Amino acid sequence: MTDTPLVLDPTGADIQGESARIRARGPVTLVELPGEVRAWAITDQDILHTLLRDPRVSKDARQHWPDFISGKVGADWPLYTWVAVTNMFTAYGQDHTRLRKLVQPAFTGRRTQAMRPRVEGLAADLLDQLAQTPPGQPVDLRENYCYPLPIAVISELMGVPDTLHPGLRACVDGIFDTSLTAEQAMANFVEMQRILRELVAYRRDNPGDDMTSVLITHRDEDDGSSLTEQELVDTLLLVISAGHETTVNLLDQAIYLLLTQPEQYAKVVAGTVTWNEVVEEALRFEAPVAHLPLRYAVEDLDIDTPAGPVRIGRGEAILASYAAAGRDPKVHGDTADEFDIAREVKSHMAFGYGAHLCLGAPLARLEAHIALSALFERFPNMRLAKDPAELGTTSSFISNGHASLPVYLDS
């Protein structure tokens, strides 16, 4: 292992190639984020499992990241939003438990399954719109299918009025764009806060059967004892942004993989594998979130690796490299870099692990199963309208998706 960190490409142009280069340096190795911020990237699935359930690893920069506490990393850091918000994403210990309990009821198994008819209806409506595309004309599935389905689901769950959709979309895209300058990132953060406060004001005046109204009730009736105003706004930011970005990328990557590897799609058509298996292998092979910032060592952590022990010092930052962990050769052997929906072991960490396991994972899986099966049933002869090398990527080393996914819907 070298002490010189590998500098992450802020444009995310080669997520898997970069993940392989990180892994080649060791399962626990230094990388450099924008602003010359260093972190320990974890690419080994077993080590990541251990760290993510270790109480000596925190997500609270205010308590456990000296560079943030001292102001060395401040509001001028491009990834400030990822560490400065006050919600369950950045909470530690009892604060995390308190905040997670407020959101958890919206994502129970019963409520998730109750949303199935609505998801099916949204998918059918979008497919009807796609069917109006003139023959021979390409259509961007990321823009016209992968994105609108999950954003509609999470917006209904959260009670977001249509008037706020365009602004929210632009801001969420900006949060995940790691190529933004510090000034652009801060302007985006401020605008996102403004929109979310407008949402809170709207739902205070127009309460409904939605999560925003429920959280406002917790805030107002408890006089802030269980939820501060800033926690309320930042919780909305977390659920709205994380509630659709992962699913957009999951749909995007799954469709792309099946279109570029028709022998895999043939297994689905033949009935030898299920759509659930397609979803899990897509999550493993192309984790929708490639790297997730940040965690911090509450105390010195000594980690055994094949190359020898590595010490993550107290207060040092940790980067969960989910894309690399999904292709860990220790777990998946020599075929780790092959997309195979029939593989027996599809172990991945695409939705995190431990106390911070994504609450919306069952909903994302439900949406993906419905959306993929409906799409390929409706348009079984789809084909890409561009060479794969021309699709581009999202400008991010966090979000793992294509810039666009143009296809011809007919044969």
Side-chain angles (χ1 to χ4, degrees):
M1 185 188 70
T2 176
D3 290 334
T4 303
L6 187 151
V7 180
L8 295 186
D9 177 6
T11 70
D14 183 19
I15 291 289
Q16 293 299 346
E18 190 167 69
S19 293
R21 292 189 288 274
I22 296 171
R23 185 188 299 109
R25 290 174 164 231
V28 181
T29 191
L30 283 171
V31 297
E32 184 177 298
L33 282 62
E36 299 183 348
V37 170
R38 292 188 174 191
W40 292 95
I42 315 298
T43 60
D44 182 286
Q45 205 171 112
D46 288 340
I47 294 175
L48 198 50
H49 271 135
T50 299
L51 289 178
L52 266 53
R53 64 172 183 261
D54 192 327
R56 298 173 300 165
V57 175
S58 168
K59 294 194 75 175
D60 190 340
R62 288 178 172 82
Q63 290 191 65
H64 300 120
W65 194 17
D67 286 351
F68 187 86
I69 296 168
S70 68
K72 181 179 179 181
V73 172
D76 59 346
W77 188 45
L79 301 183
Y80 181 76
T81 301
W82 288 90
V83 301
V85 290
T86 53
N87 54 36
M88 65 181 178
F89 180 80
T90 57
Y92 176 71
Q94 292 183 350
D95 277 339
H96 174 259
T97 301
R98 169 178 61 87
L99 292 169
R100 190 176 176 95
K101 282 183 177 178
L102 294 175
V103 178
Q104 200 160 12
F107 294 99
T108 63
R110 180 184 60 81
R111 293 202 66 172
T112 297
Q113 287 302 318
M115 296 181 71
R116 177 180 291 275
R118 181 56 181 147
V119 176
E120 291 173 339
L122 288 168
D125 289 344
L126 289 170
L127 293 173
D128 286 344
Q129 294 174 31
L130 290 174
Q132 297 175 24
T133 305
Q137 179 176 313
V139 61
D140 183 356
L141 283 186
R142 182 176 174 93
E143 177 67 22
N144 294 286
Y145 192 66
C146 302
Y147 181 84
L149 176 65
I151 195 63
V153 171
I154 200 65
S155 293
E156 290 187 12
L157 183 68
M158 301 301 295
V160 180
D162 292 344
T163 55
L164 296 183
H165 285 186
L168 278 177
R169 176 184 180 171
C171 287
V172 171
D173 288 348
I175 289 172
F176 282 89
D177 188 344
T178 51
S179 70
L180 295 184
T181 65
E183 292 77 14
Q184 290 171 326
M186 179 50 61
N188 186 72
F189 176 73
V190 170
E191 177 63 8
M192 184 69 165
Q193 292 281 315
R194 185 197 67 77
I195 292 173
L196 291 173
R197 291 181 186 280
E198 184 177 337
L199 170 60
V200 171
Y202 175 81
R203 280 302 168 199
R204 277 203 169 105
D205 293 338
N206 304 274
D209 183 22
D210 57 81
M211 189 191 295
T212 300
S213 298
V214 171
L215 291 173
I216 289 171
T217 299
H218 279 289
R219 162 65 181 152
D220 293 348
E221 289 186 354
D222 293 337
D223 194 26
S225 61
S226 67
L227 193 68
T228 69
E229 190 75 6
Q230 191 60 54
E231 286 173 338
L232 167 62
V233 171
D234 287 351
T235 295
L236 296 176
L237 185 157
L238 170 63
V239 178
I240 292 171
S241 57
H244 80 271
E245 182 72 16
T246 299
T247 311
V248 173
N249 288 337
L250 169 56
L251 294 175
D252 168 359
Q253 295 285 9
I255 294 167
Y256 168 81
L257 289 165
L258 291 177
L259 292 182
T260 53
Q261 301 189 45
E263 75 282 359
Q264 296 295 319
Y265 176 50
K267 297 175 185 179
V268 184
V269 175
T272 58
V273 295
T274 66
W275 282 107
N276 286 336
E277 291 176 283
V278 173
V279 170
E280 293 309 307
E281 177 65 352
L283 287 166
R284 180 200 73 82
F285 190 73
E286 291 288 1
V289 172
H291 305 282
L292 189 63
L294 278 174
R295 287 172 166 81
Y296 320 95
V298 176
E299 58 186 69
D300 290 348
L301 302 173
D302 293 312
I303 302 171
D304 291 326
T305 76
V310 175
R311 169 164 289 189
I312 299 178
R314 177 182 177 182
E316 292 183 338
I318 299 169
L319 185 70
S321 296
Y322 294 136
R327 297 194 188 187
D328 186 348
K330 286 173 55 183
V331 178
H332 301 292
D334 295 338
T335 64
D337 288 322
E338 297 176 13
F339 178 67
D340 180 7
I341 57 178
R343 75 169 61 245
E344 184 175 351
V345 177
K346 300 181 178 68
S347 174
H348 62 78
M349 301 183 68
F351 292 116
Y353 190 72
H356 286 271
L357 178 68
C358 177
L359 281 173
L363 179 58
R365 285 183 166 105
L366 176 75
E367 291 178 51
H369 181 282
I370 291 171
L372 292 172
S373 59
L375 174 68
F376 280 89
E377 180 179 351
R378 188 72 170 268
F379 304 110
N381 298 315
M382 280 189 302
R383 57 192 174 92
L384 282 180
K386 279 187 178 181
D387 184 282
E390 299 176 350
L391 298 181
T393 63
T394 54
S395 296
S396 178
F397 60 72
I398 299 173
S399 180
N400 181 22
H402 296 98
S404 64
L405 191 63
V407 303
Y408 295 114
L409 296 174
D410 52 59
S411 60

